[in-house]
Amino acid sequence: MPLEIIILAAGKGTRMKSALPKVLHPLAGKPLIQHVLARARTLDAGRVSIVYGHGGEAVRDAVGDDSLRWVEQREQLGTGHAVRVGLPEGDPDDTVLIMYGDVPLIGADTLAGLAAAAAGCLAVLTIELDDPARYGRILRDDAGEIGGIVEAGDASDEQLRIREINTGFMAAPRALLADWLARLSDDNSQGEYYLTDVVSMAVADGVPVRGVTANDALEVRGINSRAELAAMEREVQRRIADSLMASGMSLADPARLDVRGALSAGIDGHVDVNVVFEGDVVLGDRVRIGPGCVIRDTQIADDVSVHAHCVIEGARIGPGCSVGPFARVRAGTVLDVGARLGNFVETKEAKVGAGSKINHLSYVGDCVIGRDANIGAGVITCNYDGADKHRTVIGDGAFIGSDCQLVAPVTVGDHATVGAGTTLTRDAPAGQLTVGRSPQRSVRGWRRPTKKPG
Ligand code: UD1
Ligand code: CA
């Protein structure tokens, strides 16, 4: 049956105390609304509408999906009003599914079950909570049938003891829902049009109300404050850590890992504490990541060791390489088999051939290095002349002595040696020693200046 999805996201999110709309705050590296949309997309809906509030253009721009239908709710007059504003014309028999922009972990199977339960009736997603807090309470009659929902602010003491709550998610045929929405009133403690009132209307109309039970409390948990967001972040991270361990990766401490994106990993890897993965990261088998690393949008092949405190972004690291500690590997870095980058080395747009080493204190940018080359301590590719970037090419087996500057564009031939301290401004021929430093001299009888007395 065709499905119409409406996502409510017009609430002000006052308790976030933020200039950023609540649904744009990130969870596991992705805005809340993106999590919700990802779940909505699993359902193959004919149309997805998002009801947003004033200032919500930021949400629209951030989501940037033209296939969505955006509806502004100028005044936040309640959840029932929001659905009324957001419900488009369409086939009266379509199922309309109502979701929440601030409930990011709702399960795809739960949504599908709720939508399926709404054929010819009103389906309400509920759950029993040990602490039902300020949620709306589900009222059931003696036969156990749902008779209505009472908001916490409108509930009696006896009703407040009910532990089955309204998650907010509902589904119903369009024609029935539209009819109920048109008849809502705002005569209640908050002076709002409550969506929840459609339940008692359905009962009065003789339309069955079906309760569907959520899998767990986490999937229906909404975010209202930064503290709730942080608590959910930990829960999500714990699940990610558990699934990584279940698929064969060791973690020094599952509570000290953060994955903000998609991480896929082979087996027998080890990740030390306080490592952050961002974007799309792929790790091969037996990869070891030292403590305190940040790794973003990078592929790391089998048997690589990344030592402590490296920042790696947009790189491809070949099998058996060693990186760090304290390396900064920037976009466009490609390391071939067994290459080594040591401490305080920065690379950018650098192709490093198999077995080549850049072990200490270097900047290598816009550079292609052949196999088995050795780049000494403190070598700098001077790739930028203030206007343009230029390339440095270093051949197979080349040896660049310590503290050289390679002023690009420049080429060092295969098996060439560049003497320590050289500022290379012209190509260094293959197989030769090139050295460009002033001759050393020693001055006999020279004395250091001394302070005059008085
Ligand atoms: C609502 C339910 C309550 C349920 C709870 C679950 C009603 C009347 N109450 O209460 O039974 O237990 O959710 O979390 O429905 N929104 C709009 N426009 C508005 C008002 C709200 O788009 O005018 C959106 C908010 O952005 C939010 C959602 O609707 O995503 C829920 O609104 P909120 O005010 O948080 O509802 P609750 O009072 O928590
Ligand atoms: Ca409210």
Side-chain angles (χ1 to χ4, degrees):
M1 191 172 324
L3 186 65
E4 175 91 51
I5 293 181
I6 298 178
I7 299 173
L8 303 190
K12 292 192 196 72
T14 323
R15 278 181 281 164
M16 295 298 283
K17 301 248 168 49
S18 177
L20 188 70
K22 175 166 75 177
V23 295
L24 291 185
H25 281 257
L27 175 72
K30 202 164 70 169
L32 292 174
I33 188 76
Q34 297 283 25
H35 288 268
V36 175
L37 283 169
R39 299 304 162 94
R41 288 190 188 108
T42 64
L43 289 177
D44 191 28
R47 180 164 43 188
V48 177
S49 302
I50 300 187
V51 181
Y52 68 101
H54 60 97
E57 288 77 14
V59 180
R60 204 174 162 153
D61 291 347
V63 170
D65 180 344
D66 294 334
S67 73
L68 298 168
R69 181 173 164 270
W70 294 85
V71 189
E72 186 178 3
Q73 184 195 21
R74 287 200 182 78
E75 272 185 292
Q76 278 68 65
L77 301 179
T79 49
H81 180 258
V83 178
R84 193 156 76 195
V85 168
L87 184 62
E89 298 281 325
D91 187 326
D93 295 329
D94 284 352
T95 297
V96 178
L97 174 67
I98 297 158
M99 297 176 63
Y100 290 75
D102 57 0
V103 182
L105 298 182
I106 186 71
D109 52 340
T110 303
L111 288 175
L114 186 66
C121 71
L122 171 62
V124 179
L125 186 68
T126 79
I127 191 164
E128 282 205 18
L129 296 179
D130 292 336
D131 175 15
R134 300 304 295 165
Y135 287 108
R137 305 299 203 267
I138 302 292
L139 307 178
R140 289 184 184 265
D141 64 18
D142 295 340
E145 300 295 330
I146 295 178
I149 295 173
V150 60
E151 289 304 290
D154 302 296
S156 66
D157 286 349
E158 191 184 339
Q159 288 170 331
L160 285 174
R161 280 195 287 276
I162 297 171
R163 295 195 302 117
E164 187 185 13
I165 61 98
N166 172 34
T167 66
F169 290 80
M170 290 186 192
R174 185 195 313 271
L176 293 177
L177 185 63
D179 174 57
W180 297 324
L181 292 173
R183 286 153 48 199
L184 288 177
S185 103
D186 60 358
D187 181 16
N188 51 54
S189 67
Q190 296 190 61
E192 287 183 0
Y193 295 93
Y194 289 169
L195 175 62
T196 45
D197 286 348
V198 302
V199 175
S200 50
M201 290 177 172
V203 172
D205 289 355
V207 175
V209 179
R210 222 174 262 171
V212 173
T213 309
N215 290 325
D216 58 56
L218 188 59
E219 73 165 337
V220 294
R221 197 192 288 173
I223 297 299
N224 296 298
S225 66
R226 292 177 195 258
E228 288 173 7
L229 182 59
M232 185 176 282
E233 179 76 32
R234 290 339 306 160
E235 302 246 19
V236 171
Q237 292 301 340
R238 180 70 214 204
R239 286 184 177 194
I240 294 171
D242 287 345
S243 92
L244 286 168
M245 291 188 292
S247 61
M249 175 142 107
S250 293
L251 302 175
D253 181 354
R256 283 184 287 170
L257 167 78
D258 282 84
V259 180
R260 301 175 190 149
L263 171 64
S264 84
I267 60 164
D268 290 326
H270 182 271
V271 176
D272 215 318
V273 298
N274 297 332
V275 173
V276 178
F277 293 100
E278 297 182 334
D280 292 322
V281 176
V282 178
L283 306 181
D285 293 337
R286 298 172 301 280
V287 170
R288 300 187 70 82
I289 311 285
C293 292
V294 178
I295 300 178
R296 182 182 307 132
D297 294 323
T298 286
Q299 292 167 30
I300 298 182
D302 298 345
D303 302 299
V304 168
S305 288
V306 176
H307 301 281
H309 300 292
C310 291
V311 177
I312 302 178
E313 178 177 8
R316 285 212 320 271
I317 298 180
C321 288
S322 170
V323 176
F326 299 103
R328 174 151 188 234
V329 181
R330 294 168 54 198
T333 298
V334 178
L335 306 187
D336 207 336
V337 187
R340 304 176 73 87
L341 300 186
N343 40 220
F344 307 107
V345 170
E346 174 180 348
T347 60
K348 188 217 72 172
E349 292 292 341
K351 311 237 176 318
V352 182
S356 289
K357 297 176 194 146
I358 313 173
N359 273 336
H360 326 271
L361 300 154
S362 288
Y363 171 64
V364 174
D366 301 303
C367 184
V368 178
I369 300 174
R371 334 172 37 100
D372 299 316
N374 187 80
I375 312 297
V379 169
I380 292 171
T381 54
C382 308
N383 58 332
Y384 186 52
D385 60 12
D388 295 302
K389 300 278 174 64
H390 302 282
R391 246 160 58 107
T392 300
V393 177
I394 297 172
D396 293 342
F399 182 100
I400 316 288
S402 295
D403 191 30
C404 288
Q405 297 85 49
L406 311 178
V407 181
V410 74
T411 295
V412 176
D414 291 346
H415 304 284
T417 300
V418 178
T422 295
T423 299
L424 196 71
T425 53
R426 280 174 286 134
D427 293 351
Q432 297 182 19
L433 168 68
T434 298
V435 57
R437 55 182 186 238
S438 47
Q440 179 172 320
R441 62 192 184 116
S442 301
V443 179
R444 209 182 276 274
W446 177 85
R447 296 208 185 282
R448 272 189 214 158
T450 49
K451 280 235 189 275
K452 303 259 177 330

